[in-house]
């Protein structure tokens, strides 16, 4: 398979995304990005045993010392306590401003390693080596780094760009089916917000994607990275356009927080959240029922939930609204939703609480 390159154009902070096979264990992959005498691979207890040794061997030609730190695995560990393990490791072994961090794992590892890199000595270089589909098509690209707070997901973090993103499609072969489905939620979102021709393609190739057919997988990852790179290149710090990438996430983050981190995977929350956001778009007259049904059907086909959970038996919609007011897009307590303003075009705008309540009541189990 030919390696393809997508560039994230951010001036002095620009960097390439490499997409292909046999990249992770190839020393040449990292020649562009390696910095300093020390490298720290930040991974987790699930991914580390599978890929840390191969990555370390590839980094030996570039760094005099290569160490590996395996964090506990799971969204529930995306917190200050776990983040401090990275700082402890760096300080205990003489990390300096040229030490390079390598994030080997899914979105949780990528977010935490990136945030650690942003904070340690006020910023050291880092490289994203995402091992889940969700991380390859979304979270590893664009420089969003964060940890969770008990009151809200990803509420403590920084914008900090990597030097390189390495999307080795071979590693997806070890991905559990549930994680693959969660990643497909982030693939699907790019259609309604930006590219309905890609949405058509996803519908036609969904079975190939679910069976990890190499050509289909390569095209999906490349197209998602192209769209995200284009959006991030215009709005790095989410002052406007970039917010459209959060389609389904306002509802989805409420689900993740309300259920307890780790009970629902991020992509599962986004899947049900996209249905809610589409239904709210329909209520506001922006799309028709046929579009909502089409999107809901595709989300269900990839094995994702299409109905949200009940977070509070007495006032479920009220609980959702309270959690969504903590969302980063909220302004002065007003929730701003990413809505579909006609297929292939997104808009960020508020909606009346009464209407949101109706949608939540209709869309939750």
């Amino acid at each position: 398979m030919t390696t393809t390159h997508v560039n994230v154009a951010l001036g002095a902070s620009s960097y390439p995304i490499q997409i292909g096979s046999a990249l992770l264990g190839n020393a040449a992959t990292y020649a562009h990005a390696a910095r300093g005498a020390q490298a720290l691979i930040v991974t987790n207890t699930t991914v580390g045993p599978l890929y840390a040794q191969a990555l370390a061997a590839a980094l030996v030609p570039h760094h005099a010392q290569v160490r590996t730190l395996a964090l506990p695995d799971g969204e529930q560990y995306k917190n200050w306590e776990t983040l401090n393990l990275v700082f402890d490791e760096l300080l205990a072994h003489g990390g300096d401003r040229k030490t390079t961090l390598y994030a080997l794992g899914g979105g949780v590892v990528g977010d935490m390693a990136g945030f650690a890199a942003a904070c340690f000595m006020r910023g050291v270089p880092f490289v994203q080596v995402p091992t889940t589909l969700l991380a390859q098509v979304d979270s590893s690209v664009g420089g969003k780094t964060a940890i969770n707070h008990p009151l809200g997901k990803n509420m403590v973090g920084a914008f900090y760009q990597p030097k390189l993103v390495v999307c080795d499609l071979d590693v997806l072969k070890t991905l559990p089916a549930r994680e693959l489905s969660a990643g497909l939620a982030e693939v699907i979102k790019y259609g309604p917000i930006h590219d309905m021709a890609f949405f058509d393609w996803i519908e036609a190739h969904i079975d190939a994607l679910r069976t990890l057919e190499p050509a289909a997988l390569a095209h999906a990852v490349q197209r998602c990275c192209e769209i995200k790179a284009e959006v991030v290149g215009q709005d790095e710090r989410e002052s406007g356009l970039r917010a459209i990438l959060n389609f389904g996430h306002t509802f989805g983050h409420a689900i993740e927080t309300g259920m307890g981190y780790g009970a629902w995977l991020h992509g599962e929350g986004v899947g049900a959240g996209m249905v809610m956001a589409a239904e709210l778009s329909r209520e506001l007259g922006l799309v028709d029922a046929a579009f909502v049904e089409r999107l809901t059907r595709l989300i269900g086909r990839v094995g994702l939930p299409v109905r949200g959970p009940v977070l509070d038996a007495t006032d479920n919609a009220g609980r959702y609204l309270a959690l969504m007011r903590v969302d980063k897009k909220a302004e002065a307590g007003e929730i701003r939703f990413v809505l579909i303003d006609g297929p292939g075009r997104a808009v960020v705008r508020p909606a009346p609480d009464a209407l949101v309540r109706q949608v939540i009541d209709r869309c939750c189990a």
Side-chain angles (χ1 to χ4, degrees), residues 5-7 61 64 69 91 93 145 148 168 176-178 196-197 226 238 240 243 280 287 299 321 342 346 353:
H5 299 262
V6 175
N7 187 54
L69 173 66
L91 289 165
H93 295 95
T145 72
N148 297 330
D168 188 333
R178 186 182 174 194
M196 283 304 289
E226 286 171 348
E238 204 171 294
L280 183 56
V287 295
I299 292 167
L321 284 164
D353 277 8

Side-chain angles (χ1 to χ4, degrees), residues 32-303:
H32 158 81
R35 299 284 190 280
Q38 290 191 41
L40 176 63
I41 298 168
V42 181
T43 185
N44 64 34
T45 52
T46 300
V47 175
L50 296 172
Y51 299 114
Q53 189 172 352
L55 177 56
L59 297 180
V60 165
H62 304 298
H63 302 278
Q65 182 187 92
V66 180
R67 303 186 61 82
T68 298
L69 173 66
L71 304 175
D73 184 16
E75 187 80 31
Q76 64 270 36
Y77 299 108
K78 190 177 168 184
N79 54 30
W80 279 117
E81 184 179 5
T82 307
L83 186 70
N84 258 325
L85 297 176
V86 183
F87 299 134
D88 290 346
E89 181 74 14
L90 288 165
L91 289 165
H93 295 95
D96 58 34
R97 283 182 167 165
K98 292 186 177 179
T99 297
T100 302
L101 271 58
Y102 291 81
L104 175 67
V108 171
V109 166
D111 272 19
M112 285 203 296
F115 190 29
C119 295
F120 185 68
M121 294 194 175
R122 299 192 180 94
V124 297
F126 87 108
V127 172
Q128 289 274 17
V129 189
T131 59
T132 66
L133 180 61
L134 188 148
Q136 290 191 0
V137 302
D138 186 69
S139 64
S140 69
V141 178
K144 277 188 175 181
T145 72
I147 55 172
N148 297 330
H149 186 278
L151 297 180
K153 183 177 167 69
N154 292 336
M155 294 305 291
V156 182
F159 288 99
Y160 193 68
Q161 301 297 339
K163 298 296 182 185
L164 168 70
V165 179
V166 179
C167 296
D168 188 333
L169 303 178
D170 293 341
V171 304
L172 301 180
K173 295 172 185 174
T174 55
L175 204 57
R178 186 182 174 194
E179 290 278 2
L180 177 63
S181 292
L184 287 169
E186 296 283 7
V187 174
I188 289 169
K189 81 169 182 192
Y190 286 105
I193 66 169
H194 191 82
D195 184 354
M196 283 304 289
F198 182 49
F199 190 83
D200 297 341
W201 181 91
I202 297 168
E203 285 182 319
H205 294 84
I206 199 64
D207 293 333
L209 290 171
R210 295 196 72 188
T211 56
L212 300 177
E213 196 278 314
L217 206 55
H219 177 73
V221 173
Q222 180 178 344
R223 186 65 191 123
C224 292
C225 287
E226 286 171 348
I227 295 171
K228 184 153 191 184
E230 179 184 338
V231 172
V232 170
Q234 296 177 63
D235 179 21
E236 180 182 1
R237 294 180 176 263
E238 204 171 294
S239 57
L241 176 67
R242 183 170 178 170
I244 69 170
L245 297 170
N246 293 308
F247 175 52
H249 288 55
T250 301
F251 290 104
H253 285 173
I255 291 169
E256 288 184 82
T257 306
M259 291 294 287
Y261 296 124
W264 277 45
L265 296 179
H266 175 66
E268 292 169 339
V270 169
M274 286 192 289
V275 175
M276 293 186 192
E279 185 64 24
L280 183 56
S281 303
R282 186 193 65 78
E283 286 282 1
L284 290 165
L286 303 176
V287 295
D288 59 18
F291 171 80
V292 179
E293 290 165 10
R294 183 183 176 192
L295 176 61
T296 304
R297 187 166 54 248
L298 181 59
I299 292 167
R301 279 182 68 193
V302 303

Side-chain angles (χ1 to χ4, degrees), residues 310-326:
V310 173
L311 303 180
D312 185 323
T314 56
D315 184 11
N316 186 48
R319 177 65 175 145
Y320 271 86
L321 284 164
L323 289 166
M324 290 190 294
R325 288 195 208 287
V326 187

